[in-house]
Amino acid sequence: QNLKKTIAISRARGCKIIFVRADYRHTHSPWLAQFARLRGQSADTLTEIYCDTNADNFNWEEFASPIGGDIILPKTSWSSSSNTKLMSWLRGSGVDNVLVCGLITSVCVQHSAFSIFEAGFRTLLITDASADRGRARHDAALALYGDYMYELITSHDLKDSKQGLIKAEPLLFSLEESKLEPREFSKIQNNVTTFSLDSL
């Protein structure tokens, strides 16, 4: 319900929404062999995951489905930045703030949030729109990294009239060349992207 609410508020505020899907194959995910070894499996028995929107078994959850204008981003590893098009698109679109939510908090969400933070974007993780394989893992990940490399907010915070998700103002590109400098933000506004990780 909280993820559904987050997507609905983000759409209403005019955010661009990126749906991230796993595409884990031995041909472009070399870490799979080590992952299989750590789990006591052989690499050739580890099931590959394909992001093929035309496949019969490819589907979306009813509460988290893309619509026209949304982006579907395949990723080859736990971090969404494994698809190099992500950062190029964020920068090229004038995005300042990125909201991150989805599965799994301590793995895919954490790695993606870190890569976005590391690239210089204000990163906000929506705690009640994310989940892990257990509550203890979810809480531990947030305790370790929350308000250290990303801010922690809830889906309820997005509706706050002063500090919540405020519709972006028009973005003006001037004719003069200038160097982009980091900016301070008191509100979750300017250009915002909601980043939903629907992956394993």
Side-chain angles (χ1 to χ4, degrees):
Q1 291 298 322
N2 292 328
L3 180 55
K4 183 177 182 179
K5 180 200 304 182
T6 296
I7 293 172
I9 295 172
S10 299
R11 290 200 198 287
R13 300 296 195 276
C15 297
K16 180 62 77 174
I17 299 180
I18 302 174
F19 288 87
V20 181
R21 291 292 293 250
D23 194 311
Y24 301 159
R25 304 183 228 176
H26 292 288
T27 54
H28 56 225
S29 303
W31 58 273
L32 281 174
Q34 293 303 319
F35 187 61
R37 183 184 64 81
L38 289 169
R39 298 178 67 185
Q41 298 175 273
S42 62
D44 57 350
T45 61
L46 190 66
T47 303
E48 295 182 313
I49 301 172
Y50 292 78
C51 179
D52 180 0
T53 56
N54 297 315
D56 292 337
N57 61 347
F58 186 90
N59 55 60
W60 299 95
E61 296 291 346
E62 175 275 327
F63 57 86
S65 298
I67 63 172
D70 291 344
I71 294 172
I72 301 171
L73 183 83
K75 66 186 179 77
T76 61
S77 186
W78 292 342
S79 173
S80 302
S81 65
S82 61
N83 188 328
T84 56
K85 294 177 182 176
L86 172 63
M87 296 305 176
S88 298
W89 184 88
L90 291 174
R91 292 191 178 98
S93 299
V95 169
D96 298 312
N97 304 278
V98 181
L99 307 178
V100 182
C101 57
L103 302 171
I104 296 172
T105 311
S106 62
V107 186
C108 298
V109 175
Q110 164 60 33
H111 281 72
S112 294
F114 171 68
S115 68
I116 293 164
F117 162 81
E118 188 179 42
F121 297 95
R122 182 186 181 195
T123 308
L124 304 101
L125 194 150
I126 308 171
T127 60
D128 62 347
S130 302
D132 209 302
R133 297 193 187 280
R135 186 64 193 226
R137 290 175 62 97
H138 173 81
D139 290 343
L142 299 180
L144 280 171
Y145 301 110
D147 297 319
Y148 185 70
M149 66 177 64
Y150 44 72
E151 298 167 55
L152 299 178
I153 61 171
T154 69
S155 59
H156 306 289
D157 295 329
L158 298 179
K159 282 192 170 183
D160 186 278
S161 60
K162 293 184 178 178
Q163 298 299 319
L165 187 56
I166 299 169
K167 192 162 186 175
E169 296 293 327
L171 184 64
L172 171 66
F173 285 159
S174 70
L175 295 173
E176 299 176 11
E177 289 189 29
S178 63
K179 180 181 176 184
L180 293 176
E181 298 290 348
R183 286 172 277 178
E184 295 295 326
F185 303 100
S186 60
K187 298 179 181 179
I188 310 169
Q189 57 178 349
N190 299 308
N191 272 348
V192 182
T193 289
T194 296
F195 202 52
S196 176
L197 292 158
D198 182 27
S199 55
L200 301 176

